[in-house]
Amino acid sequence: MAASDLSVILPRVLVVSRRCVRKNKFVDFVGEYHLDLIVGYGAVPVIVPRVSGVHMLLESFEPIHGVLLCEGEDIDPSLYETDTAGLSQEDLDEIRRLHTSDTAIDKEKDTIELRLAKLCLERNIPYLGICRGSQVLNVACGGTLYQDVDSEIRKKCPAGEKVVHMDYDNYDGHRHRVNVVENTPLHNWFRDSLDEKKMEIMVNSYHHQGVKVLAQRFVPMAFAPDGLIEGFYDPDAYNPEEGKFIMGLQFHPERMRRPDSDEFDYPGCPAAYQQFVKAVVAYQKKLNSSTLSAPKKALKLDNEMEKKRKIIVRSFSLAKNLYTTGRDAQLEREAELEVGAEFLESNTALSVQQKNRLKQMGATVRNGGSYIEKLKVNEERERTAKNVMGKMTIEQLSDLMSFYHMMGQICSEILERKLNDIVK
């Protein structure tokens, strides 16, 4: 099979890059372990670059068959209900000092990933969140996060329950215990490695924040000894064979490998990626079958509608001739002009392009004065809008443009539906 054929057949998984500084320049990257596992199980990772404005271009990455979100900085706390009552200003300053690289908020990455997460939730697109990706999923559904697990949990725990969730000096080798919840996907994946009495595995983690209030739709799959949720999923959106998979893991199963080896600590470590890709493949098949079974039909007008259309076009044509020649309308043709005027009066919600076109056609003969006055008002509004938008930030303008783009799509869909209803 040709490579070009595979690019069409294989499902696409979007992965958002993380930005770092290298040689005084920004560099985007994604951990290769994630990419290897996605490719190995039969999907194509499509990297979404973390650059300004990409959140407005996400439609360009369609079709989207799955989304994998992984590492990154802390999520902007203004995006969820933050409770810092137990932290003093000195505590917050110390957190920023200890975790300088993680507490540097990346608003563009936040916007890109939250929009992708919400898109997955709206369309039931398979989603796997690792580390930060699990936090993004929880926030997207209304959950909250601890600002710093060490300050808010560890210091208050009894000695036997304290957990180190991040070890800067031993990134790959660090492990801590988690308790697996029975009858969950995580339990099924690690079943052969679990002692029925303890239900524990050792996991790799690298985070200073975590889920504080879990969104209502999710069910925990694992807890650290200090009570922190280490994994969760949506049971109503989990059936890989049917293309359903919504899950977040705070720990890193892809990094749980033996020293100087690619061999996993447990046979169940790659299962999250395996089942995720299985869901991605099933979702692609479901999407393709629904597209094939519901081909778009060209809009056709019946004889009566076509007759009305020709009458209106004729009215506009007469108006144009009168407008360009400057002549008065003949008495016998006033009835024909009335048709166009009535059509305009019943269709006042016109775009700027439509208004300009109608002006060129001379469709304002009957009510030219008021129409020109309306144009002047619109021009004044346009100048005012430009002045206001000139004072807005790039991010505000991007969000505004994205909102109106979305509204335009909604209007187009509703208009098409109404036209179809008229034809029927």
Side-chain angles (χ1 to χ4, degrees):
M1 183 177 289
S4 59
D5 295 330
L6 283 174
S7 67
V8 176
I9 294 171
L10 293 178
R12 296 153 53 90
V13 174
L14 266 56
V15 188
V16 181
S17 65
R18 182 179 185 179
R19 186 172 72 171
C20 69
V21 177
R22 184 173 181 271
K23 295 181 179 179
N24 298 320
K25 297 288 188 298
F26 287 126
V27 175
D28 281 25
F29 73 94
V30 176
E32 205 167 285
Y33 278 152
H34 302 293
L35 305 181
D36 280 343
L37 287 164
I38 293 297
V39 171
Y41 287 118
V44 175
V46 178
I47 297 176
V48 180
R50 180 256 156 264
V51 292
S52 298
V54 166
H55 67 275
M56 295 173 58
L57 306 174
L58 294 179
E59 288 182 356
S60 304
F61 292 91
E62 299 277 7
I64 303 170
H65 304 122
V67 171
L68 166 67
L69 299 184
C70 36
E71 301 96 335
E73 296 80 359
D74 293 351
I75 300 169
D76 186 349
S78 68
L79 296 172
Y80 56 93
E81 292 184 13
T82 312
D83 181 12
T84 57
L87 298 172
S88 65
Q89 187 57 50
E90 290 75 15
D91 291 331
L92 294 172
D93 291 340
E94 180 65 8
I95 291 168
R96 294 188 189 97
R97 187 189 67 79
L98 290 172
H99 309 289
T100 305
S101 61
D102 293 309
T103 53
I105 303 300
D106 187 341
K107 291 190 176 183
E108 182 67 26
K109 185 175 174 69
D110 287 346
T111 304
I112 295 169
E113 294 192 341
L114 280 169
R115 289 190 179 180
L116 284 175
K118 290 175 181 178
L119 184 69
C120 289
L121 295 166
E122 289 167 7
R123 294 194 201 168
N124 292 318
I125 299 172
Y127 177 104
L128 174 59
I130 303 293
C131 194
R132 170 191 156 97
S134 67
Q135 297 172 11
V136 169
L137 179 60
N138 188 48
V139 169
C141 293
T144 66
L145 306 175
Y146 285 108
Q147 296 305 291
D148 184 67
V149 294
D150 193 43
S151 303
E152 297 182 75
I153 298 179
R154 189 167 182 268
K155 290 180 180 178
K156 301 174 184 177
C157 279
E161 296 177 3
K162 292 183 184 292
V163 176
V164 176
H165 291 276
M166 173 181 279
D167 186 347
Y168 282 110
D169 298 323
N170 190 19
Y171 182 43
D172 289 323
H174 176 62
R175 301 285 188 275
H176 70 76
R177 289 185 298 117
V178 299
N179 299 300
V180 178
V181 178
E182 285 189 78
N183 302 319
T184 62
L186 200 65
H187 178 218
N188 292 333
W189 300 339
F190 288 88
R191 186 184 300 274
D192 294 338
S193 305
L194 291 169
D195 184 327
E196 291 184 4
K197 294 180 180 180
K198 289 187 176 181
M199 294 290 286
E200 293 177 352
I201 56 173
M202 300 296 290
V203 301
N204 170 261
S205 71
Y206 190 81
H207 61 97
H208 84 100
Q209 293 193 321
V211 170
K212 185 173 185 178
V213 176
L214 186 65
Q216 288 186 357
R217 68 184 292 165
F218 298 125
V219 172
M221 296 194 297
F223 293 90
D226 58 10
L228 188 71
I229 295 172
E230 290 282 345
F232 58 88
Y233 80 117
D234 183 346
D236 295 325
Y238 182 82
N239 190 329
E241 289 77 11
E242 294 182 4
K244 298 178 181 180
F245 192 104
I246 301 290
M247 181 178 294
L249 298 177
Q250 183 62 74
F251 64 92
H252 288 269
E254 82 285 358
R255 306 193 76 90
M256 291 162 58
R257 306 182 188 227
R258 302 189 186 281
D260 302 316
S261 169
D262 281 338
E263 184 182 354
F264 286 103
D265 292 356
Y266 305 99
C269 288
Y273 292 84
Q274 183 183 33
Q275 296 302 309
F276 169 63
V277 173
K278 180 186 287 187
V280 168
V281 172
Y283 180 83
Q284 183 201 31
K285 290 179 180 177
K286 187 162 59 175
L287 191 66
N288 289 346
S289 63
S290 64
T291 303
L292 291 173
S293 62
K296 289 186 177 181
K297 296 181 180 179
L299 183 63
K300 293 183 179 180
L301 300 177
D302 58 22
N303 292 334
E304 185 178 351
M305 289 294 293
E306 177 62 18
K307 185 178 179 180
K308 289 181 179 179
R309 185 191 69 81
K310 288 180 178 179
I311 292 172
I312 292 170
V313 170
R314 169 66 177 167
S315 178
F316 286 170
S317 179
L318 286 173
K320 178 184 176 182
N321 291 336
L322 292 172
Y323 183 81
T324 54
T325 61
R327 297 175 183 174
D328 294 331
Q330 296 177 7
L331 186 61
E332 62 271 16
R333 292 196 169 183
E334 283 186 1
E336 293 181 80
L337 291 172
E338 286 287 335
V339 176
E342 288 172 3
F343 176 82
L344 288 176
E345 286 179 352
S346 63
N347 292 273
T348 55
L350 304 173
S351 68
V352 174
Q353 292 85 352
Q354 287 171 321
K355 288 178 181 177
N356 289 338
R357 179 59 180 155
L358 292 174
K359 181 182 177 183
Q360 291 170 2
M361 293 177 67
T364 61
V365 171
R366 197 183 94 160
N367 200 13
S370 62
Y371 183 78
I372 291 172
E373 188 62 33
K374 189 176 180 181
L375 285 179
K376 288 180 180 178
V377 172
N378 287 342
E379 288 172 1
E380 181 61 33
R381 288 176 179 170
E382 186 176 341
R383 281 195 295 270
T384 302
K386 285 181 178 178
N387 289 334
V388 172
M389 286 189 282
K391 298 175 184 178
M392 295 171 71
T393 65
I394 293 175
E395 185 179 17
Q396 289 172 327
L397 288 170
S398 296
D399 288 341
L400 186 64
M401 186 180 293
S402 179
F403 170 76
Y404 280 109
H405 179 69
M406 177 186 69
M407 294 303 294
Q409 284 185 311
I410 294 171
C411 287
S412 295
E413 290 172 5
I414 293 174
L415 179 61
E416 184 176 352
R417 253 198 329 264
K418 287 190 174 183
L419 286 172
N420 276 311
D421 291 341
I422 290 172
V423 173
K424 291 175 183 177

